[in-house]
Amino acid sequence: MTAVHWKKLATVPFSDEILDKGFSKGRKTADNVFDPNKTFRVRKQMIRMIQSSVDTISEQLMNHVKSWPSIENLELFDISLIDAAVGLDDYKHNLSMLQWCAKQIQSVAKQNTDKLIKTANIEFMHKTRREAYGRISSIVGQTSRSLEWLNSARETLKKLPSIDVNHPCIVVAGAPNVGKSALISALSSGKPEVASYPFTTKQLHLGHFEHRRLRYQIVDTPGLLDRPMQERNQIEMQAIAALEHIGSIVLFVMDYSEECGTSLEEQNNLLNEVKNLLNKKEIIIIETKADLLKIDEKVWDEYKSLETNIDFSNMDKKDLTFLRNPKTNNILISTIENLGLKSIKFLIINKIQKSQTNKPLELPEGWYRSDKEF
């Protein structure tokens, strides 16, 4: 299943705009009616005005329904994102209101067309058309709140990432301001804005890098706070959605220096919650801001020199080494000093490759392949 392109959601018009376009089309079609018999001419004009207006309005409404992703065709991740961002029930209700409106006004068109066919009274024909327009306007008016909601929701949904489930995905999680965005920027082509205050990442950001023609996606989640699920805000719920439903690997980022403003106790409580939530996913714990810790200068320089000179293209994963926190044994990195980043990327690539069951460059079993060289 391909990624949902939220940025392509079209602007949703308001009810008066939809009505104006519909009734304008009705008037134009009436102008194209020619019949020497006045009764027949007026009847045809009124019928065309009603039907053309309704068809135009219905088409506008249904085009928007069809352009928005159908819940039935979405991955659990996207469904959870919708629920966290705008509310799943509201999403379904307001789209269904557009469908309801399209159906109702078609019914109005049929009822009034039947009246017009049965009468030869010209005054009654005009009255029937006005009544039809009035009912159509009333029904479309009932969708005003839904149209306004969809337009507002569109602005929120446009900011959501488009995740392709056919490509590996790495989720980066942790407390606010621990260095997740800086890590994303260092590992991928994504460049989220980074600032040193809590909740710097206001939404999910998507970065990526490529290795041997395979695209790796990295999702930077909003910072999570150590508090019960029911107390979490909309931004935190988006992070939960990312953690639960996507990701081959989760990088849990910690700040041992506590410069982030969240204590180690709170960070560890959050880590335990993530482990319980994702008991079937591999979680790699990384401590950022290693440059702020009191690490032996000789050990630091030796590791930095080792990583700088490693040929990762010919390296075996078992030979991979990391600078570790002697108190926690967690992997240490520093985005400022560019320390540990190459090794982390190499580790991610190897772990994901190991978990891949398919080999895209191999022919399917039973396919003919000639060994003859040309």
Side-chain angles (χ1 to χ4, degrees):
M1 194 172 291
T2 57
V4 178
H5 298 289
W6 296 108
K7 290 181 177 61
K8 293 184 179 180
L9 287 177
T11 303
V12 180
F14 296 115
S15 57
D16 56 347
E17 296 175 297
I18 290 175
L19 288 170
D20 286 346
K21 186 174 181 180
F23 293 153
S24 175
K25 184 65 178 293
R27 286 191 297 272
K28 289 179 181 178
T29 56
D31 292 340
N32 293 326
V33 173
F34 300 99
D35 196 305
N37 186 297
K38 184 177 181 181
T39 300
F40 290 167
R41 184 173 66 253
V42 172
R43 180 188 290 136
K44 290 177 182 177
Q45 286 175 331
M46 297 304 103
I47 289 175
R48 287 198 184 182
M49 286 181 74
I50 293 172
Q51 194 60 60
S52 181
S53 296
V54 164
D55 288 345
T56 302
I57 294 169
S58 294
E59 184 179 11
Q60 291 181 79
L61 295 170
M62 292 309 299
N63 281 344
H64 284 290
V65 171
K66 293 173 184 176
S67 68
W68 283 56
S70 170
I71 297 297
E72 289 74 19
N73 298 326
L74 291 179
E75 296 287 339
L76 286 174
F77 166 69
D78 291 308
I79 293 173
S80 297
L81 271 193
I82 292 172
D83 199 20
V86 297
L88 189 60
D89 290 339
D90 288 337
Y91 183 95
K92 291 190 288 188
H93 168 73
N94 288 294
L95 285 175
S96 68
M97 279 296 293
L98 270 58
Q99 292 176 295
W100 170 84
C101 180
K103 184 177 180 181
Q104 290 299 310
I105 61 175
Q106 286 291 355
S107 177
V108 168
K110 185 178 185 310
Q111 291 170 15
N112 286 275
T113 297
D114 289 344
K115 289 182 183 179
L116 290 168
I117 291 173
K118 296 174 182 177
T119 185
N121 186 317
I122 292 178
E123 184 179 345
F124 182 74
M125 292 178 190
H126 285 286
K127 180 182 177 182
T128 299
R129 194 270 307 163
R130 288 193 297 270
E131 287 180 354
Y133 273 24
R135 291 180 64 190
I136 292 166
S137 298
S138 176
I139 293 169
V140 173
Q142 292 179 55
T143 67
S144 292
R145 288 186 179 181
S146 292
L147 292 166
E148 290 170 8
W149 185 92
L150 289 168
N151 223 6
S152 175
R154 170 182 173 269
E155 294 304 313
T156 301
L157 294 171
K158 276 170 56 182
K159 300 173 184 177
L160 297 181
S162 298
I163 306 294
D164 191 336
V165 295
N166 297 312
H167 293 286
C169 186
I170 301 100
V171 176
V172 181
N177 206 31
V178 294
K180 299 186 300 297
S181 295
L183 177 60
I184 290 287
S185 296
L187 291 180
S188 74
S189 60
K191 301 294 181 184
E193 184 178 332
V194 183
S196 54
Y197 53 87
F199 277 102
T200 55
T201 303
K202 296 298 183 183
Q203 63 191 57
L204 296 175
H205 288 272
L206 178 65
H208 70 272
F209 65 87
E210 292 189 4
H211 178 74
R212 293 181 180 176
R213 292 186 287 183
L214 183 61
R215 187 182 183 90
Y216 292 78
Q217 303 166 109
I218 311 180
V219 179
D220 176 19
T221 63
L224 293 170
L225 292 176
D226 177 27
R227 59 187 178 190
M229 187 77 74
Q230 61 270 23
E231 295 179 14
R232 291 196 165 122
N233 60 30
Q234 187 181 57
I235 295 172
E236 291 174 285
M237 292 308 294
Q238 289 184 12
I240 296 295
L243 289 170
E244 281 190 295
H245 299 299
I246 61 169
S248 309
I249 291 177
V250 175
L251 301 182
F252 190 88
V253 182
M254 300 185 71
D255 177 9
Y256 196 81
S257 71
E258 297 186 336
E259 187 196 47
C260 61
T262 305
S263 70
L264 277 175
E265 181 182 2
E266 291 175 307
Q267 291 183 63
N268 279 309
N269 289 340
L270 182 58
L271 173 59
N272 290 329
E273 183 180 355
V274 170
K275 285 180 177 179
N276 290 330
L277 183 69
L278 308 173
N279 56 14
K280 294 183 179 179
K281 288 187 180 178
E282 181 168 10
I283 300 173
I284 301 174
I285 304 170
I286 299 173
E287 292 184 19
T288 57
K289 307 179 185 179
D291 49 285
L292 299 180
L293 303 179
K294 295 179 180 178
I295 299 171
D296 183 272
E297 187 175 343
K298 182 180 179 181
V299 173
W300 179 282
D301 290 340
E302 284 179 354
Y303 181 77
K304 193 165 186 181
S305 175
L306 174 67
E307 188 183 39
T308 302
N309 295 307
I310 286 177
D311 181 6
F312 285 95
S313 62
N314 295 314
M315 184 179 178
D316 195 301
K317 191 188 80 170
K318 67 183 180 213
D319 297 325
L320 187 64
T321 59
F322 289 98
L323 185 64
R324 294 183 180 271
N325 187 331
K327 295 181 179 180
T328 63
N329 201 40
N330 292 332
I331 295 171
L332 287 173
I333 66 166
S334 171
T335 54
I336 292 177
E337 296 288 337
N338 194 28
L339 181 130
L341 300 175
K342 289 182 179 179
S343 299
I344 282 292
K345 183 179 285 190
F346 180 81
L347 179 66
I348 290 170
I349 290 169
N350 276 270
K351 283 185 175 291
I352 290 177
Q353 286 179 344
K354 186 177 178 180
S355 66
Q356 297 290 312
T357 56
N358 62 319
K359 297 180 180 179
L361 297 183
E362 284 191 3
L363 289 170
E365 184 178 354
W367 275 40
Y368 172 76
R369 177 174 57 192
S370 174
D371 293 327
K372 182 180 179 181
E373 295 182 2
F374 294 92

